[in-house]
């Protein structure tokens, strides 16, 4: 039998005086009481939920669940679709133009005046025409300093590992 | 059908108040003080048959305990016309006139307060209570009976992402974030309140919230994240344009913008990271402790810096290592001038061990010691002071800043379950061998389990440093893994994940603590 680190001397002596049969019966009683208490607690939970009308709040119909079941077939994705190259479209939030989704990133780069090419083209245009082109109104001078801004803005630890 | 008890209880309360319930509950049900618990143990038995068990009830009108099974409380109620009694085990009120247990909001509030007090007595700081709808929510739920239940085999929560032109780096980070359990729960539970001070359509946090709605919509067509790309590029202009970008860089930039937008500032991140309590900080921010020991006076200078991720070097170690610092360290180092054969890490644990190893900063990197008031050689050690809920590891397979034009493709094994205990600041100075033996069985078991993490997302890079493709593995429903290759979502095994090269590794804390 495992040693129980009892603090109480009196309790220790009492425990030692009990026969193992008595101890067995007592532990059985304790166990039954605890088990009954737990079951009672669960009954109260359910009873209360029914009384308040909140027991079946999250029930859903089986048919609706089947609709979203993962598909495990080779050649199909988890949605059961065959992966074919479909053309998706989107609207550029900058210029409101409609374009193919797979070409959105390069378009957005030019549209927002980011990246090396756009800046070069823009500054060339400014130099040539002498006035600012309306297309590149939001050309941000800050782009040229992006390398320095990066380090202060967020917590990269690369500086620790620089030799 | 509400928490308003019954008419009989209502009239009892207006006549006699809640005093008797309060006293009964405090002493005999919750036991909110040591003295109360003693009383509870000594006096809880049926006044008629003297039994301890069989569902004891206490009369609300007078001092009487009677058992339910032996019908003694019923006899008491009928004979004395005391129609209300409290169940001693849980504090629920039984109305004999109604013939049923009744639930009253006011009494439940009293009971909750008492239980909290009693829990504190037992060392339980905060208790978990299940969510319950308010009246408004209840009404809403009843009027809208359709439910989207996410069963184990549901694809709700999974969604493909269209590649907008070399934007797989963004797609992978989105997948990782969408499957960060705490982040997902925060947004789906509608906890977010927008603090963005400008045009709300430019708030990245709101866009993130919208993304979660898209992922849990049940739609099977891939999502086109063009708005997200526009927002991130608008708020993080340094992420120059269209060329293939680094997923890690995108991850940090995204967290930064989210953090800023959570706080409502549109400019540079001016808020003190130590005082921020936004969802980004709550989930991703950890504290990295740096201890610099002066070799001359042994004085220690400690700083703690916040971090969102840990970048780990691969390849051979470039510094001469020494795990003990003593007056003869320079001599012993002279003898070991060759690199140890296990200097190249082959596992995440190797990398972490190297990351938290004390490093001797050579004579060319002397640090000004405040104790000696002069420049001295020193050792530096990094350890984890505070672990974030989500620990993100970045294996430095590329070096964009230096002239490294090679990708380090060595296989670095990483575990599904990670214990960060050996890398904590509290372990500083103790050798790894002493860890298990010295802990006796009675140490607080909660603090041992505290540092355990579970893998939930892996971002991989396939290809060379010039041209490559990013894919991600994410975990859903506790132990199901899926591969996310832009718009293509397929099932994967955990072995597929663990065998993959690994570039960004995302781990989630297994046990969360209330603050």
């Amino acid at each position: 039998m495992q040693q129980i680190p009892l603090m109480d001397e009196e309790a220790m002596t009492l425990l030692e005086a009990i026969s193992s049969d008595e101890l067995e019966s007592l532990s059985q009683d304790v166990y039954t009481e605890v088990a009954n208490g737990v079951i009672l607690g669960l009954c109260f939970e359910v009873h209360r939920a029914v009384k308040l009308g909140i027991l079946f709040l999250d029930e859903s119909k089986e048919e609706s669940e089947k609709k979203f079941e993962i598909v495990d077939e080779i050649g199909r994705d988890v949605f059961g679709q065959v992966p074919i190259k479909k053309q998706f479209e989107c609207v550029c939030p900058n210029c409101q133009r409609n374009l193919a989704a797979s070409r959105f990133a390069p378009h957005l780069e030019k549209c927002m005046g980011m990246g090396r090419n756009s800046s070069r083209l823009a500054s060339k245009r400014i130099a040539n025409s002498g006035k600012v082109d309306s297309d590149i109104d939001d050309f941000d001078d800050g782009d040229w300093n992006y390398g320095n801004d990066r380090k202060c803005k967020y917590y990269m630890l690369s500086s620790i590992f620089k030799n | 059908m509400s928490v308003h008890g019954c008419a009989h209880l209502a009239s009892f309360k207006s006549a006699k108040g809640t005093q008797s319930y309060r006293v009964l509950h405090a002493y005999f049900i919750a036991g909110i003080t040591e003295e109360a618990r003693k009383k509870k143990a000594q006096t809880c038995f049926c006044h008629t048959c003297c039994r301890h068990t069989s569902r004891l009830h206490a009369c609300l009108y007078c001092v009487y305990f009677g058992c339910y099974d032996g019908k003694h409380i019923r006899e008491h109620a009928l004979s004395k016309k005391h129609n209300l009694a409290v169940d001693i085990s849980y504090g629920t009120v039984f109305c004999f006139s109604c013939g049923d247990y009744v639930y009253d909001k006011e009494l439940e509030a009293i009971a909750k307060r008492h239980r909290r007090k009693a829990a504190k007595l037992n060392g339980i700081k905060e208790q978990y209570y299940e969510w319950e709808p308010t009246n408004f929510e209840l009404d809403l739920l009843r009027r809208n009976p359709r439910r989207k239940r996410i069963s184990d085999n549901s694809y709700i929560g999974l969604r493909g992402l269209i590649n907008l032109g070399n934007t797989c780096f963004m797609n992978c980070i989105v997948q990782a974030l969408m499957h960060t359990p705490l982040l997902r729960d925060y947004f789906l539970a509608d906890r977010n309140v927008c603090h963005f001070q400008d045009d709300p359509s430019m708030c990245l946090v709101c866009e993130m919230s919208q993304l979660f709605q898209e992922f849990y919509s049940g739609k099977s067509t891939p999502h086109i994240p063009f708005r997200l790309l526009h927002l991130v590029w608008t708020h993080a202009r340094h992420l120059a344009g269209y060329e293939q970008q680094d997923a890690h860089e995108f991850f940090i930039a995204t967290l930064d913008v989210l953090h800023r937008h959570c706080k409502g500032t549109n400019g540079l991140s001016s808020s003190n990271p130590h005082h921020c309590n936004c969802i980004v900080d709550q989930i991703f921010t950890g504290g990295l402790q740096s201890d610099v020991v002066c070799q001359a006076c042994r004085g220690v200078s400690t700083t703690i810096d916040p971090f969102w991720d840990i970048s780990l070097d691969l390849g051979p170690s470039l510094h001469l290592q020494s795990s003990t610092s003593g007056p003869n360290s320079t001599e012993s180092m002279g003898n070991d001038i060759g690199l140890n054969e296990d200097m190249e890490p082959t596992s995440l644990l190797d990398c972490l061990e190297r990351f938290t190893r004390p490093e001797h900063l050579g004579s060319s990197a002397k640090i000004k010691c405040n104790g000696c008031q002069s420049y001295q050689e020193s050792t530096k050690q990094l350890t984890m002071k505070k672990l974030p809920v989500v620990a993100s590891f970045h294996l430095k397979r590329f070096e964009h800043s230096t002239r490294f034009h090679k990708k380090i493709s060595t296989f670095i094994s990483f575990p599904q379950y990670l214990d960060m205990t050996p890398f904590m600041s509290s372990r500083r100075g103790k050798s790894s061998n002493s860890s298990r033996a010295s802990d006796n069985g009675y140490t607080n078991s909660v603090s041992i389990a505290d540092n355990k993490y579970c893998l939930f997302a892996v971002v991989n890079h396939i290809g060379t440093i010039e041209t490559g493709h990013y894919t991600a593995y994410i975990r859903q429903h506790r132990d199901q893994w899926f591969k996310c290759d832009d718009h293509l979502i397929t099932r994967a095994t955990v072995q597929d994940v663990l065998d993959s090269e690994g570039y960004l590794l995302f781990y989630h804390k297994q046990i969360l603590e209330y603050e």
Side-chain angles (χ1 to χ4, degrees):
Chain A
M1 203 176 71
Q2 215 186 3
Q3 284 286 70
I4 308 158
L6 281 178
M7 303 292 194
D8 205 53
E9 286 267 338
E10 194 180 322
M12 275 291 259
T13 41
L14 272 172
L15 214 70
E16 281 166 3
I18 303 175
S19 72
S20 72
D21 278 342
E22 254 176 26
L23 202 60
E24 180 64 43
S25 147
L26 279 172
S27 354
Q28 189 66 29
D29 284 347
V30 172
Y31 170 77
T32 313
E33 196 172 324
V34 173
N36 280 340
V38 172
I39 295 168
L40 185 65
L42 181 63
C43 292
F44 274 129
E45 260 182 55
V46 177
H47 180 268
R48 182 174 180 274
V50 171
K51 195 118 190 184
L52 300 184
I54 59 176
L55 186 62
F56 297 115
L57 269 184
D58 57 349
E59 272 229 322
S60 71
K61 300 206 178 94
E62 243 203 71
E63 309 95 67
S64 61
E65 278 185 41
K66 283 219 155 60
K67 192 169 129 191
F68 300 111
E69 258 185 28
I70 292 174
V71 174
D72 267 317
E73 269 174 71
I74 308 171
R76 287 180 187 265
D77 62 18
V78 289
F79 309 104
Q81 297 161 146
V82 182
I84 32 164
K85 272 273 178 171
K86 220 191 279 189
Q87 268 286 65
F88 288 93
E89 277 198 357
C90 60
V91 177
C92 175
N94 217 35
C95 64
Q96 319 314 326
R97 229 185 292 181
N98 239 51
L99 65 152
S102 54
R103 282 199 278 276
F104 177 71
H107 160 82
L108 188 67
E109 183 204 9
K110 292 194 209 83
C111 193
M112 285 174 76
M114 293 166 69
R116 288 171 294 168
N117 285 326
S118 325
S119 324
R120 217 182 301 137
L121 283 170
S123 48
K124 215 163 87 177
R125 253 182 261 163
I126 294 171
N128 289 343
S129 65
K131 51 182 172 155
V132 180
D133 199 300
S134 56
D135 274 7
I136 41 134
D137 254 348
D138 52 348
F139 171 54
D140 189 4
D141 274 312
D143 278 350
W144 296 108
N145 299 321
Y146 68 83
N148 293 329
D149 284 341
R150 196 203 297 167
K151 286 202 186 96
C152 346
K153 270 190 187 176
Y154 48 90
Y155 318 120
M156 276 178 84
L157 301 172
S158 52
S159 47
I160 297 175
F161 292 91
K162 256 214 259 224
N163 296 323
Chain B
M1 281 265 200
S2 59
V3 212
H4 292 313
C6 67
H8 313 102
L9 182 59
S11 59
F12 172 87
K13 279 204 294 174
S14 56
K16 305 208 179 212
T18 57
Q19 184 66 356
S20 58
Y21 181 82
R22 213 184 284 265
V23 172
L24 280 169
H25 196 279
Y27 277 87
F28 306 108
I29 296 159
I32 61 174
T33 60
E34 282 285 348
E35 184 213 339
R37 281 164 72 187
K38 280 206 179 108
K39 265 213 150 62
K40 176 183 162 110
Q42 288 163 347
T43 62
C44 280
F45 51 85
C46 177
H47 288 184
T48 304
C49 65
C50 298
R51 282 166 65 196
H52 273 96
T53 55
S54 42
R55 286 174 67 195
L56 206 61
H57 284 69
C59 176
L60 268 181
Y61 290 82
C62 70
V63 180
Y64 177 81
F65 287 179
C67 59
Y68 191 90
D69 294 344
K71 300 207 167 50
H72 297 133
I73 189 72
R74 177 176 288 277
E75 278 166 24
H76 173 86
L78 291 175
S79 61
K80 294 282 180 95
K81 295 223 179 3
H82 293 173
N83 286 339
L84 296 163
V86 192
D87 169 85
I88 289 291
S89 312
Y90 290 94
T92 352
V93 178
F94 190 88
C95 174
F96 283 95
S97 305
C98 294
D100 198 8
Y101 285 98
V102 295
Y103 302 95
D104 178 275
K105 200 193 322 209
E106 194 182 357
L107 297 185
E108 284 188 347
I110 294 170
K112 192 168 178 175
R113 269 203 305 273
H114 287 171
R115 273 198 298 269
R116 222 187 226 135
K117 261 197 194 151
K120 280 211 168 90
L121 208 64
N122 286 327
I124 301 167
K125 277 187 276 184
E126 196 56 69
Q127 266 190 299
Y128 169 74
Y129 290 101
E130 261 186 29
W131 169 83
E132 257 184 41
T134 61
N135 280 336
F136 173 73
E137 287 165 346
L138 205 59
D139 187 48
L140 211 63
L141 285 164
R142 287 209 187 106
R143 282 191 285 116
N144 298 285
R146 270 177 52 193
R147 301 278 179 265
K148 203 181 277 162
R149 201 199 180 96
I150 302 165
S151 59
D152 262 353
N153 210 36
S154 171
Y155 64 64
I156 297 176
L158 297 171
R159 191 114 186 247
L161 292 165
I162 292 292
N163 188 314
L164 304 169
N166 267 358
T167 60
C168 49
F169 66 91
M170 175 176 79
N171 289 346
C172 288
I173 297 304
V174 173
Q175 293 288 0
L177 291 173
M178 290 295 112
H179 292 93
T180 301
L182 221 58
L183 196 65
R184 173 202 66 204
D185 291 351
Y186 174 77
F187 282 104
L188 287 182
D190 234 355
R191 306 292 314 275
N192 185 53
V193 176
C194 186
H195 288 120
F196 198 66
Q197 276 158 20
D198 240 324
D199 174 11
S201 68
M202 294 302 276
C203 174
L204 188 65
V205 185
C206 293
E207 178 60 29
M208 182 111 311
S209 181
Q210 189 53 34
L211 263 175
F212 277 105
Q213 293 298 317
E214 291 286 342
F215 268 69
Y216 281 83
S217 61
K219 290 185 203 155
S220 54
T221 51
H223 174 69
I224 312 171
F226 67 96
R227 263 195 329 265
L228 180 72
L229 184 67
H230 175 241
L231 279 179
V232 178
W233 278 1
T234 302
H235 296 297
R237 304 213 86 166
H238 61 277
L239 290 179
Y242 166 61
E243 289 137 36
Q244 175 68 286
Q245 291 165 32
D246 181 25
H248 173 248
E249 208 173 357
F250 183 82
F251 173 59
I252 297 299
T254 303
L255 284 187
D256 184 56
V257 178
L258 284 173
H259 169 72
R260 276 189 273 140
H261 289 194
C262 278
K263 300 305 289 172
T265 58
N266 309 342
L268 291 170
S269 186
S270 52
S271 46
N272 184 344
H274 292 289
H275 296 306
C276 183
N277 211 28
C278 68
I279 192 66
V280 172
D281 276 327
Q282 280 183 55
I283 296 177
F284 295 98
T285 302
L288 188 69
Q289 182 167 314
S290 165
D291 294 289
V292 178
V293 183
C294 170
Q295 291 303 82
C297 69
R298 320 296 282 119
V300 186
S301 156
T302 305
T303 52
I304 299 171
D305 288 306
F307 70 88
W308 279 333
D309 72 321
I310 300 289
S311 285
L312 299 163
D313 279 320
L314 307 178
S317 183
L318 301 153
H319 294 282
L320 295 168
Q321 303 284 333
S322 109
S323 53
T324 56
S325 323
N328 299 319
S329 59
T330 30
E331 274 147 30
S332 62
M333 264 184 0
N335 295 334
D336 303 333
I337 224 135
L339 295 169
N340 296 353
E341 55 262 352
D342 60 332
M343 267 317 177
E344 281 231 28
T346 54
S347 70
L348 177 67
L349 289 173
D350 283 347
C351 291
L352 284 172
E353 198 268 321
R354 187 160 79 172
F355 185 80
T356 53
R357 200 185 285 173
E359 226 176 79
H360 187 96
L361 304 175
S363 46
S364 56
K366 285 191 181 160
I367 294 200
K368 175 139 192 227
C369 171
N370 283 329
C372 307
Q373 288 296 311
S374 60
Y375 284 88
Q376 301 290 345
E377 283 191 20
S378 50
T379 56
K380 179 175 183 162
Q381 189 179 17
L382 295 172
T383 48
M384 312 283 167
K385 177 69 183 170
K386 170 182 174 271
L387 288 173
V389 172
V390 170
S392 321
F393 299 108
H394 167 224
L395 300 178
K396 294 165 85 172
R397 295 187 180 280
F398 321 98
E399 273 296 284
H400 290 293
S401 46
T402 66
R403 267 165 248 104
F404 238 127
H405 284 303
K406 202 163 65 94
K407 174 187 173 187
I408 304 172
S409 286
T410 39
F411 178 70
I412 306 287
S413 71
F414 48 90
Q416 215 192 342
Y417 298 98
L418 175 66
D419 187 352
M420 291 294 286
T421 312
F423 313 112
M424 302 296 290
S425 302
S426 48
R427 285 255 172 232
R428 211 175 78 81
K430 298 181 191 157
S431 73
S432 49
N433 292 327
S434 69
S435 55
R436 295 306 131 93
S438 55
D439 289 330
N440 60 17
Y442 293 105
T443 46
N444 186 357
S445 57
V446 178
S447 59
I448 293 178
D450 228 348
N451 304 324
K452 295 226 168 80
Y453 284 79
C454 193
L455 186 70
F456 72 93
V458 177
V459 171
N460 287 310
H461 179 271
I462 308 138
T464 63
I465 198 163
E466 286 92 22
T467 52
H469 180 55
Y470 283 102
T471 56
Y473 284 108
I474 50 97
R475 203 180 88 220
Q476 178 99 324
H477 301 313
R478 195 181 294 158
D479 51 8
Q480 294 182 49
W481 285 89
F482 297 91
K483 182 174 185 181
C484 305
D485 187 349
D486 287 331
H487 58 278
L488 187 61
I489 311 293
T490 49
R491 199 187 275 281
T493 64
V494 67
Q495 204 50 50
D496 292 335
V497 182
L498 298 176
D499 286 343
S500 66
E501 201 179 72
Y503 177 52
L504 299 178
L505 309 170
F506 296 92
Y507 287 85
H508 201 287
K509 218 183 216 195
Q510 285 197 281
I511 293 175
L512 302 174
E513 274 191 346
Y514 288 102
E515 248 168 50

